[in-house]
Amino acid sequence: MDEYVKNWEAVLNKLEMMVSAVSFDLWIKPLELLEFKNGSTLVLGASSTTAKNQILKNHADKLSECILDVFGEGVGYEILDQNEKQEYLKDTVVVEPAVEAREEHPNKGMFNSKYTFDNFVVGKSNQFVYAAARAVAEHPGQKFNPLFIYGGVGLGKTHLLHAIGNYIHEHMPDLKIMYATCEKFTNDYIESLRSNKENETIEFREKYRNLDVLMIDDIQFISNKTSTQEEFFHTFNELYQNNKQIIISSDRPPKEIATLEERLSSRFTCGLIQDIQSPDFETRVAILRKKSQQERYLIDDEVIEFIAEKVDTNIREMEGLLAKVYFFATLLGKKIAGIEEAKEALKETIEKKKEDLNPNIIIECVCDYFNISKADIVGKKKSKEIVEPRMIAIYLISELIDIPLISIGKYFGGRDHTTIIHARDKITDQVKNNIRMANTVKDIENMFSGYVNK
Ligand code: ADP
Ligand code: MG
């Protein structure tokens, strides 16, 4: 099969995870790849004018994004409706044969081939979760079931799920695996209800229950969706009772998923709940090196360290900066991206970061307001003069900064998340019920603008 045909399939697979199941089945999946014109334009035939318009109106950005991801820069697309297609085929001698229907190994293409165990850099922050994922991949249904992986954005959860999928697909091709984002699971379920046909529901159940391995990515989005939770609960039980492997990821531990039903939450605890932490500096450097090799970027080691210093949590963001530097250097015609190019390319991104409020700024403000030291506020002292400011700082961080509660503890000497939740809840309550506390918090918030960009 030609490379571009494989790539197009990869684009479809990506898109499938990004748009609703209805849109995908109705508009996108039927697209016919007519030609890869001049190696730069995918000519796509839509099944109708409506299909063409729907895609252009609602999915054009996502389509471009996936094409960019898979084909790289400089590749575009063109969509033809039926009439345009006739015209086009008349005028064009199509050299490449039209694509045969998507051939089916059910697992094929479900997993991103870059997300493997080999490409996953192991360090202190993720060694346990890596070992657990590996054990589950090697012995699905037998080791840790369910495996619940949680951690902040861009720390490798999806990568690990795909790594498990790729591994099982390669070594145990007969096993039926299903990877779905929570959103996809929800949409599939809602659709099966909406269609109001009994066989749709049966199909849904067939799809999610007749499996050896089920993975649901980003389960936190199930909160507030009562009927989906109910359905997931039954899916879970059915698979679990039959010793089928279940793997779940989330940006926070089960207990912190608001409105997650108790019975579902306690199901998760019967397996292994494992967190994935932000990588330390050495691991960040190793990840960036690996990424450069993989993408064949030529990048100075100094640049890698520079980026690893600037970004200390989100790996996805780090990879984005790496690509930015590389492309910037390429534009300048440099063979190897050096530190000068990196500073230039990342100037805005890094300056912008400075403007943003972050936990350290909040801690600094709170310390100044109460005239206490940073060592005390993050330390162990239990006197009222220190405890209250500490709780206020925790509260403000949880309110104003978009990080999971579990990550806040690390700014306070590694306090565990129950302490963090306690502090947050206590101050939340006081702000509501105590005018003095409400004013204190307001005063501190008013100080922030003088502290960012300092
Ligand atoms: P999450 O699902 O936790 O938000 P992803 O799995 O999407 O994060 O990871 C974000 C990016 O970082 C991906 O490109 C992934 O390959 C990369 N990444 C994360 N952790 C590692 C690691 N330990 N080694 C190599 N790449 C990693
Ligand atoms: Mg993810």
Side-chain angles (χ1 to χ4, degrees):
M1 200 195 283
D2 287 305
E3 188 66 23
Y4 76 91
V5 178
K6 275 196 221 142
N7 284 344
W8 173 243
E9 295 207 357
V11 169
L12 288 178
N13 289 321
K14 267 179 176 286
L15 266 171
E16 188 169 9
M17 296 179 198
M18 293 164 78
V19 305
S20 76
V22 191
S23 295
F24 186 79
D25 289 341
L26 225 49
W27 316 125
I28 294 173
K29 197 165 157 201
L31 279 176
E32 193 186 348
L33 176 54
L34 298 170
E35 193 198 359
F36 190 32
K37 197 166 65 184
N38 307 327
S40 66
T41 308
L42 294 156
V43 184
L44 306 166
S47 50
S48 64
T49 314
T50 319
K52 173 180 168 173
N53 293 340
Q54 282 294 331
I55 296 174
L56 292 178
K57 191 163 136 236
N58 298 319
H59 308 296
D61 290 349
K62 292 189 198 101
L63 183 56
S64 305
E65 187 185 326
C66 294
I67 292 176
L68 176 69
D69 269 8
V70 174
F71 283 88
E73 301 267 349
V75 173
Y77 67 90
E78 204 173 288
I79 300 183
L80 311 179
D81 64 22
Q82 293 291 31
N83 291 337
E84 290 163 335
K85 180 181 147 187
Q86 295 310 329
E87 286 299 307
Y88 179 81
L89 291 180
K90 253 196 275 163
D91 297 347
T92 320
V93 188
V94 178
V95 188
E96 304 286 353
V99 186
E100 67 271 35
R102 291 223 274 161
E103 55 157 288
E104 299 291 339
H105 179 294
N107 299 338
K108 190 177 161 291
M110 191 181 287
F111 304 107
N112 183 332
S113 58
K114 285 186 187 167
Y115 291 173
T116 59
F117 284 123
D118 284 345
N119 288 340
F120 192 83
V121 175
V122 184
K124 275 200 208 94
S125 58
N126 58 25
Q127 56 186 341
F128 295 116
V129 75
Y130 173 83
R134 202 109 211 163
V136 161
E138 285 164 10
H139 308 280
Q142 296 167 39
K143 287 271 166 159
F144 307 114
N145 201 16
L147 174 62
F148 189 105
I149 297 175
Y150 72 89
V153 176
L155 295 184
K157 301 180 295 295
T158 298
H159 186 134
L160 278 176
L161 297 196
H162 281 250
I164 296 173
N166 280 317
Y167 184 96
I168 296 179
H169 178 48
E170 186 185 338
H171 294 89
M172 295 158 245
D174 294 337
L175 294 194
K176 285 203 206 111
I177 323 175
M178 178 74 192
Y179 165 94
T181 57
C182 184
E183 193 192 0
K184 170 114 174 71
F185 181 85
T186 308
N187 289 344
D188 280 359
Y189 178 58
I190 291 174
E191 208 179 313
S192 79
L193 295 182
R194 199 182 290 148
S195 72
N196 217 356
K197 277 187 241 130
E198 200 177 313
N199 47 0
E200 286 277 336
T201 323
I202 294 171
E203 261 172 42
F204 174 84
R205 298 207 164 135
E206 178 77 4
K207 181 168 168 187
Y208 284 99
R209 296 187 189 186
N210 184 15
L211 290 173
D212 298 293
V213 182
L214 173 65
M215 308 188 197
I216 303 284
D217 204 355
D218 286 322
I219 194 94
Q220 71 273 9
F221 295 120
I222 208 168
S223 67
N224 296 326
K225 300 192 181 104
T226 323
S227 66
T228 310
Q229 284 196 25
E230 176 79 21
E231 182 62 29
F232 181 70
F233 181 73
H234 296 299
T235 308
F236 184 101
N237 283 345
E238 170 111 5
L239 291 168
Y240 185 73
Q241 275 156 14
N242 293 313
N243 292 324
K244 306 301 187 185
Q245 181 69 48
I246 300 153
I247 306 157
I248 293 158
S249 88
S250 163
D251 70 347
R252 61 202 85 169
K255 267 184 275 160
E256 279 181 31
I257 305 180
T259 75
L260 186 70
E261 274 182 65
E262 183 59 36
R263 57 179 185 164
L264 205 45
S265 166
S266 68
R267 281 291 185 279
F268 295 155
T269 46
C270 57
L272 178 69
I273 300 181
Q274 185 63 58
D275 67 335
I276 186 164
Q277 309 253 344
S278 301
D280 56 24
F281 179 72
E282 281 73 26
T283 313
R284 298 202 296 277
V285 168
I287 291 172
L288 287 170
R289 286 210 184 108
K290 182 130 214 159
K291 188 78 188 171
S292 311
Q293 284 167 1
Q294 223 178 310
E295 301 290 328
R296 296 176 208 280
Y297 294 159
L298 292 174
I299 288 203
D300 208 280
D301 233 28
E302 208 185 340
V303 173
I304 287 189
E305 292 186 9
F306 175 72
I307 296 174
E309 262 166 28
K310 297 293 171 200
V311 183
D312 66 355
T313 48
N314 188 331
I315 298 171
R316 190 178 300 126
E317 187 183 345
M318 212 168 68
E319 291 181 349
L321 298 188
L322 185 76
K324 204 165 175 184
V325 172
Y326 175 73
F327 289 119
F328 184 74
T330 321
L331 283 180
L332 295 180
K334 300 267 175 188
K335 280 220 176 69
I336 297 186
I339 190 74
E340 289 313 315
E341 287 86 64
K343 285 192 173 144
E344 187 58 30
L346 304 183
K347 208 164 71 188
E348 273 176 30
T349 321
I350 286 164
E351 270 169 12
K352 189 179 161 302
K353 270 187 105 57
K354 252 197 261 159
E355 285 167 19
D356 293 338
L357 193 56
N358 64 43
N360 289 323
I361 292 178
I362 294 182
I363 291 172
E364 202 187 339
C365 276
V366 174
C367 286
D368 285 356
Y369 182 86
F370 289 103
N371 199 16
I372 58 176
S373 75
K374 176 158 188 217
D376 279 345
I377 201 170
V378 306
K380 293 203 159 39
K381 282 199 184 152
K382 293 215 165 75
S383 58
K384 187 166 188 302
E385 292 79 346
I386 304 295
V387 170
E388 190 171 271
R390 186 183 294 142
M391 292 203 292
I392 292 175
I394 290 171
Y395 162 81
L396 283 166
I397 293 172
S398 77
E399 284 285 299
L400 301 174
I401 310 251
D402 187 21
I403 50 171
L405 283 177
I406 43 160
S407 310
I408 297 180
K410 79 171 188 231
Y411 291 97
F412 295 87
R415 284 181 156 75
D416 74 18
H417 76 278
T418 48
T419 315
I420 301 297
I421 292 174
H422 172 73
R424 182 201 58 183
D425 290 351
K426 184 152 183 186
I427 303 297
T428 307
D429 191 54
Q430 289 190 15
V431 167
K432 279 194 204 121
N433 299 313
N434 173 337
I435 187 78
R436 185 190 62 89
M437 182 58 88
N439 285 333
T440 304
V441 166
K442 223 182 273 159
D443 287 346
I444 297 172
E445 285 190 44
N446 287 335
M447 291 164 67
F448 290 149
S449 61
Y451 277 68
V452 282
N453 276 332
K454 203 164 85 167

